Amino acid sequence: MTGSEASVISTLLVANRGEIARRIFRTCRELGIATVAVYSDADADAPHTREADAAFHLPGNAPADTYLRGDLLVAAALTCGADAVHPGYGFLSENPDFARAVTDAGLIWVGPPPAAIASMASKTRAKEIMADAGVPLLAPVRAEDATAADLPLLVKAAAGGGGRGMRLVRELSNLPSALAAASTEAASAFGDGEVFAEPYVENGRHVEVQILADAHGTVWVLGTRDCSLQRRHQKVIEEAPAPALPAALRAALHTAATEAAEAIGYQGAGTVEFLVAPGGRGYFLEMNTRLQVEHPVTECVYGIDLVALQLRVAEGHALPAAPPEPTGHAVEARLYAEDPARDWQPQTGVLHRLEVAGAGVPELSGPLVPAGLSGLSGLRVDSGFGAGDTIGIHYDPMLAKVIAWAPTRAEAIRRLAHALERSRVHGPVTNRELLVRSLRHPEFIAAQLDTGFYERHLDALTAAPDDNETRVAALAAALADACGRSRFGGWRNVPSQPQTKTYRLEPDGTEHEIRYRHTRDGLTADGLPDVHCLSATRSLVVLEVGGVRRQFAVFAYEDGSVYVDVPRLPGGATQGPGSGSDPGAGPSRGAGGRAPSCASYTSYTAYTSYVSYALTPLPRFPDPTARTEPGSLLAPMPGTVIRLANAAVGDAVQAGQPLLWLEAMKMEHKIIAPASGTLAALPVAPGQQVEVGALLAVVSD
């Protein structure tokens, strides 16, 4: 249960990790509350571990051995002298047994009473309670009684959320395997494998209502959020208030959320989620008895700190009779290390650079409430990673949440898109470009929102870059590399063999062999007749492309990776400012055709916006043993083989047919046959750990 009137929190343990732990620590620092972190082996040097006043080690890496061990978390709190526990979101945040263990240990639980959590912890039980309270809902469908008339169905985990343990079923024959897969994933993520099925509403909107309640009978309704843009049933872009909702529907959702809270004696922060059907009716989905990932947009609009209010409620303080009035609009984008063009495949590796333009780097930055009240930028970044950190295989690959506030929705969208496209994110592949394109999509701008957005538009939103554009970027990388290797930069003033450098574009795999030479008439590059070099340093190359001056910022890292950031004009074209006013600009290809100097300048300007290309330099003479047999399927990431399909070596398989499933980053990933043929090899078994690049299967013609 939450604290009494006499309760005072002096030291808080956050039973979580990453971005949400850092977010809670931030408020604690402002309130003068000491903090305790918990960390697994993989998180020994994570930002949240470093930032807390004390940190307690949870041996192991798997969530089941660490962040899902309630007994270890309570012991950590007692050992470190904490008097309260905040669960964050995910892991044990909605586990009533953990809440009881915390209070039984004499600690303050920063969350709703265990009984309230229990009533909502099972989504099936929650629906029964809401039905009794008169809240409209989609009734669950008994899997054993399901018929074709019930399709499509959505299989969901009864405990937890965040899109894990969910499967969409459009054919009745797929229901048993969907139930099994969802149950396995739910058990791994939440320690509870119970799942159920409910009708799936096509093209519905995901709208939720934020509530905050105290122990004195006051329930605040803090408006709506729209979270319809989702992938794998996980939210990508959220905003508050939910746009284009009829006033009557908005009022009905507010009323239903209040009734839900009152029906279970709720206290603390919580979210009541609804599915709004195309016809305009809202159905109760679930109640999250915790803080939501997307809580910043509500904070920005209402000018409040929800974590601070959670702590006050836990101490027993009463809320004012009514919440503050909302102002303006806020939009949040989740920046993930993932490849949307490849089935949203999560990525691992070193994050070399994370700089969000206008909001600071690489930690929690910007005001918690950037509602323009003090002339601030209106941008906020909540991040779990910083430059030099490693994105591993064990946890969610979200790098940061970038939030923008403005007086109107259109201005908030513009501000967020502009901040994202001006940001530098070097390391594993991310969804940054997808976020920018999504925010600028006509349907999103017009508030034509539904959960099928990415099903309709993913191909266009992940279109590959122009081949000529990436080739010019590779040329810039080669020229910068030449400056780093020679004080003369490889320039020649007599005819000679061309300089040669080969780069592979990541993650596309396209290889560009760059062949160029400098003569008295300037640079000539094979296949790029309209490109001329104006100046070059190790970090900035200025080229004239088709008569347009363009600047390429080049970043080379110790692991050999190279990133080329190319400024672009509105409308998608990539081009620098073209003003010629850059500090230290080198000599142009003017009278006399004088070749540029590698030392012409060493700084680069802050461009308006970027397209970023990741390149890997390739050796001139590749290792002949580093060849892969045609048809080989290699592990796209480190992970665990959790099950094999019903296909044996020697069987005929069809293109797209599942062969096995990997579990990595708390998600299940299907490995499919790349083409029709014969399964020639399957050298893995369930439970086997594999590294990135490990051979999983071979399909021969």
Side-chain angles (χ1 to χ4, degrees):
M1 59 186 295
T2 54
S4 67
E5 194 67 47
S7 299
V8 176
I9 297 174
S10 60
T11 302
L12 179 73
L13 179 137
V14 177
N16 218 295
R17 63 174 302 280
E19 170 267 326
I20 186 56
R22 300 181 78 199
R23 163 68 187 90
I24 297 167
F25 293 162
R26 178 177 182 175
T27 289
C28 287
R29 286 193 295 269
E30 295 179 355
L31 296 179
I33 297 174
T35 56
V36 178
V38 290
Y39 66 95
S40 66
D41 292 347
D43 281 339
D45 195 40
H48 82 276
T49 305
R50 302 193 301 262
E51 292 175 2
D53 296 306
F56 189 91
H57 182 212
L58 305 173
N61 283 319
D65 299 327
T66 54
Y67 299 107
L68 290 175
R69 284 285 302 274
D71 57 334
L72 295 182
L73 297 169
V74 171
L78 296 174
T79 299
C80 295
D83 45 32
V85 173
H86 193 306
Y89 53 70
F91 294 128
L92 295 176
S93 61
E94 295 179 279
N95 186 304
D97 292 334
F98 178 53
R100 291 190 190 96
V102 169
T103 57
D104 289 346
L107 301 168
I108 298 173
W109 169 251
V110 184
I117 298 175
S119 63
M120 294 290 110
S122 169
K123 294 179 175 62
T124 51
R125 174 60 180 151
K127 287 179 178 287
E128 295 173 0
I129 295 172
M130 293 302 105
D132 292 341
V135 177
L137 52 83
L138 295 168
V141 175
R142 287 169 53 89
E144 57 270 29
D145 298 332
T147 67
D150 296 313
L151 298 175
L153 290 171
L154 187 64
V155 176
K156 303 175 70 173
R164 298 181 179 91
M166 297 180 72
R167 295 294 185 277
L168 177 60
V169 178
R170 295 188 181 278
E171 296 183 16
L172 204 58
S173 60
N174 294 334
L175 183 56
S177 61
L179 290 166
S183 178
T184 298
E185 191 170 270
S188 174
F190 314 117
D192 185 341
E194 182 187 354
V195 296
F196 68 98
E198 68 181 14
Y200 178 72
V201 176
E202 301 277 7
N203 301 321
R205 288 181 63 181
H206 187 122
V207 177
E208 57 192 30
V209 177
Q210 175 72 57
I211 62 168
L212 186 70
D214 63 20
H216 306 278
T218 298
V219 177
W220 281 6
V221 173
L222 295 167
T224 55
R225 296 188 290 253
D226 189 287
C227 309
S228 297
L229 267 62
Q230 303 178 4
R231 54 89 169 119
R232 289 186 169 184
H233 309 293
Q234 287 184 305
K235 301 159 188 174
V236 178
I237 295 176
E238 305 104 341
E239 57 182 306
L245 280 185
L249 176 58
R250 193 181 302 273
L253 298 183
H254 286 186
T255 298
T258 303
E259 292 173 348
E262 292 174 344
I264 60 172
Y266 197 79
Q267 297 172 32
T271 299
V272 185
E273 301 195 347
F274 299 90
L275 182 66
V276 177
R281 187 176 182 187
Y283 298 96
F284 171 82
L285 283 177
E286 62 191 42
M287 183 175 183
N288 296 131
T289 53
R290 54 172 169 81
L291 199 66
Q292 292 280 94
V293 179
E294 59 272 20
H295 75 273
V297 291
T298 297
E299 291 184 319
C300 291
V301 169
Y302 279 85
I304 58 175
D305 181 341
L306 280 170
V307 174
L309 288 168
Q310 282 186 296
L311 296 171
R312 284 186 58 78
V313 167
E315 290 177 326
H317 297 287
L319 294 170
E325 289 296 317
T327 303
H329 200 93
V331 187
E332 172 181 294
R334 302 189 190 185
L335 182 65
Y336 279 95
E338 66 181 12
D339 189 349
R342 290 169 175 77
D343 195 29
W344 309 96
Q345 192 177 96
Q347 306 291 301
T348 61
V350 176
L351 180 64
H352 296 297
R353 190 178 298 262
L354 175 58
E355 299 174 357
V356 178
V361 294
E363 52 190 308
L364 293 169
S365 57
L368 279 173
V369 185
L373 300 178
S374 58
L376 296 166
S377 69
L379 289 172
R380 166 179 164 182
V381 178
D382 288 12
S383 173
F385 293 94
D389 291 329
T390 298
I391 296 94
I393 66 171
H394 301 287
Y395 312 112
D396 188 271
M398 186 173 72
L399 302 181
K401 302 179 306 194
V402 185
I403 306 102
W405 177 94
T408 67
R409 181 175 186 267
E411 291 172 292
I413 293 171
R414 182 177 64 193
R415 174 173 283 169
L416 180 57
H418 191 54
L420 286 168
E421 68 179 359
R422 292 170 59 210
S423 301
R424 281 196 163 98
V425 187
H426 297 165
V429 177
T430 74
N431 66 339
R432 185 192 72 150
E433 193 66 21
L434 173 101
L435 295 174
V436 173
R437 294 177 181 180
S438 299
L439 291 165
R440 290 190 168 144
H441 194 279
E443 284 188 15
F444 183 80
I445 291 174
Q448 297 172 358
L449 309 171
D450 65 75
T451 55
F453 179 85
Y454 286 120
E455 292 181 19
R456 295 191 302 274
H457 303 302
L458 186 60
D459 288 345
L461 294 171
T462 57
D466 178 76
D467 186 68
N468 191 68
E469 176 71 23
T470 58
R471 186 171 182 80
V472 174
L475 172 62
L479 295 176
D481 178 68
C483 288
R485 289 184 290 107
S486 168
R487 69 188 183 92
F488 297 106
W491 311 140
R492 307 284 187 182
N493 60 5
V494 294
S496 66
Q497 292 298 312
Q499 303 283 325
T500 302
K501 188 79 173 179
T502 303
Y503 291 91
R504 182 178 65 235
L505 179 68
E506 307 293 355
D508 177 83
T510 301
E511 294 184 8
H512 291 301
E513 183 183 61
I514 302 302
R515 297 166 60 86
Y516 68 92
R517 57 169 64 88
H518 279 280
T519 70
R520 293 179 180 179
D521 296 325
L523 175 140
T524 62
D526 292 359
L528 298 170
D530 62 344
V531 177
H532 306 283
C533 184
L534 303 184
S535 63
T537 72
R538 296 179 63 179
S539 60
L540 184 66
V541 175
V542 182
L543 302 176
E544 184 181 281
V545 183
V548 179
R549 182 177 185 273
R550 303 174 63 186
Q551 301 179 105
F552 297 74
V554 181
F555 301 82
Y557 295 99
E558 292 183 358
D559 63 357
S561 60
V562 178
Y563 293 80
V564 181
D565 289 348
V566 185
R568 56 184 165 186
L569 288 174
T574 50
Q575 177 182 322
S579 64
S581 60
D582 306 291
S588 67
R589 192 180 46 86
R594 182 162 55 93
S597 164
C598 275
S600 52
Y601 61 106
T602 58
S603 63
Y604 55 86
T605 56
Y607 303 117
T608 300
S609 60
Y610 303 90
V611 177
S612 187
Y613 298 115
L615 302 167
T616 299
L618 300 180
R620 187 174 181 182
F621 302 105
D623 182 355
T625 64
R627 294 174 181 168
T628 303
E629 182 178 349
S632 296
L633 292 174
L634 307 181
M637 69 201 79
T640 303
V641 178
I642 54 175
R643 68 181 189 279
L644 304 178
N646 295 322
V649 173
D651 288 354
V653 296
Q654 300 299 314
Q657 179 179 334
L659 301 179
L660 57 98
W661 287 261
L662 278 181
E663 182 181 67
M665 293 183 172
K666 301 171 68 176
M667 296 290 288
E668 189 176 290
H669 308 279
K670 182 167 55 179
I671 306 299
I672 63 173
S676 298
T678 301
L679 183 59
L682 190 64
V684 293
Q688 182 176 336
Q689 298 281 332
V690 296
E691 295 299 322
V692 63
L695 181 66
L696 301 178
V698 177
V699 177
S700 61
D701 296 336

